[in-house]
Amino acid sequence: MADDEAPSDSSLLVIIVDTNPNQRYITEDPKVLTGCLDAVIAFANSHLMQKSRNQLAVIGCHFHKSEYLYPSPGKPLDVRQIDGQYELFTLVEKTIKMRLVNLIKSQPQEERPGESLLAGAMAMGLCFIARMRREQPPGLRMASRMLVVTGSSDTAAQYINYMNVFFTAQKQQVLLDVCSLDKHLSLLQQGCDITGGLYLKVPSLEGLLQYLLWVFLPEASERRELVLPGRGRVDYRAACFCHRELLTIGYVCSVCLSVFCKFSPICTTCHTVFKIGGPLPMKPKKKKIKL
């Protein structure tokens, strides 16, 4: 399990929002992204509202780069109270929307949208968590977790990066939660199972905020007291290093543990040459002695 079951003094939540325009629900209706973003912002403010020491970071994941949407790397925005709203909530909302617009405008117009860089965004989240832990005052206990909100399809091209992130998060005791908006994501479900997080495929985008608050808002110490969706069956198939396809049976290098779908006398990852013996000698059949 990622975190101990004892309650913590503060909680750090890193939300990774997939903003790739190649996602199916965005291509069908681009306005749906605005509703999903509002639900994520409301969920983030709910996290900050639980404890005064809670901290938040939001990372936007695009097809050309990943970028922090909150907190802003530069000087924070100068916001004032609007309609009695808490200033911090206004700051979170305005900062995320402003930096998301800048992220979308920075995408190359000539380049065709590719796959989302989710593994890199999760690595950025782990780096942020490590930095905040170093700056944490001594004696205070801080629980850390990441939430990935994506509608992209599963891809095995980033398999190695995914595995590095998953086992690093497990070693750093960071929960990884995944909220899938469209398709089933077997690789990210593996990360949830490895780190002790939750995986949920949202049945309807109209109730996204309700699912976020019900499933992903409670901390690890509180989840064992609640009735939450089960993990179900986890697909632990590995992806081959040659074609990035998920395999049921394959060949594994005994030196670097690379997986291949076809046999090769030389490992393309570590360049180890395997000694292949000749065919096994056939034992002569014993002749039956006639009596």
Side-chain angles (χ1 to χ4, degrees), residues 50-244:
Q50 284 189 311
K51 292 180 182 179
S52 60
R53 296 180 181 270
N54 281 4
Q55 302 180 55
L56 172 71
V58 181
I59 300 176
C61 177
H62 221 58
F63 67 90
H64 68 294
K65 67 175 180 179
S66 298
E67 194 174 87
Y68 285 101
L69 303 181
Y70 181 86
S72 179
K75 183 180 179 181
L77 296 177
D78 186 13
V79 297
R80 297 181 180 179
Q81 194 177 52
I82 302 176
D83 296 333
Q85 187 181 26
Y86 182 36
E87 291 87 348
L88 180 59
F89 296 166
T90 307
L91 176 63
V92 170
E93 180 179 359
K94 287 193 172 184
T95 304
I96 291 177
K97 290 185 177 180
M98 182 194 69
R99 293 192 58 82
L100 178 59
V101 171
N102 296 335
L103 175 62
I104 295 176
K105 287 183 178 180
S106 66
Q107 69 182 26
Q109 300 298 330
E110 301 82 8
E111 187 177 349
R112 187 178 179 181
E115 62 184 28
S116 301
L117 304 177
L118 288 175
M122 286 188 285
M124 291 176 59
L126 290 177
C127 294
F128 183 84
I129 291 173
R131 179 165 64 87
M132 297 306 295
R133 283 179 173 177
R134 289 195 302 267
E135 298 175 358
Q136 185 76 3
L140 292 179
R141 177 185 171 85
M142 183 179 69
S144 306
R145 54 197 174 106
M146 286 195 301
L147 170 63
V148 180
V149 181
T150 177
S152 298
S153 58
D154 214 358
T155 172
Q158 305 178 48
Y159 176 79
I160 303 176
N161 300 331
Y162 275 136
M163 291 298 117
N164 290 336
V165 169
F166 295 159
F167 289 109
T168 302
Q170 182 189 43
K171 187 175 181 180
Q172 293 185 357
Q173 296 184 339
V174 176
L175 282 176
L176 175 62
D177 298 327
V178 174
C179 179
S180 176
L181 304 180
D182 187 14
K183 301 178 181 179
H184 176 68
L185 307 174
S186 59
L187 288 180
L188 291 179
Q189 189 183 21
Q190 292 183 26
C192 297
D193 190 61
I194 291 172
T195 61
L198 293 175
Y199 171 85
L200 176 67
K201 181 183 177 299
V202 178
S204 173
L205 294 181
E206 296 177 355
L208 176 60
L209 179 58
Q210 286 81 355
Y211 287 108
L212 291 176
L213 296 176
W214 166 47
V215 179
F216 301 110
L217 185 61
E219 297 182 15
S221 59
E222 302 169 348
R223 292 179 179 180
R224 55 192 178 93
E225 306 293 340
L226 303 174
V227 180
L228 298 175
R231 297 180 182 177
R233 184 179 179 182
V234 182
D235 185 6
Y236 266 104
R237 287 184 299 169
C240 67
F241 284 42
C242 44
H243 302 96
R244 307 298 184 190

Side-chain angles (χ1 to χ4, degrees), residues 238-255:
C240 67
F241 284 42
C242 44
H243 302 96
R244 307 298 184 190
E245 296 179 356
L246 297 178
L247 301 176
T248 304
I249 300 177
Y251 297 89
V252 182
C253 173
S254 58
V255 178

Side-chain angles (χ1 to χ4, degrees), residues 2 9-10 42 202 213 260:
D9 301 317
S10 64
V202 178
L213 296 176
F260 301 97

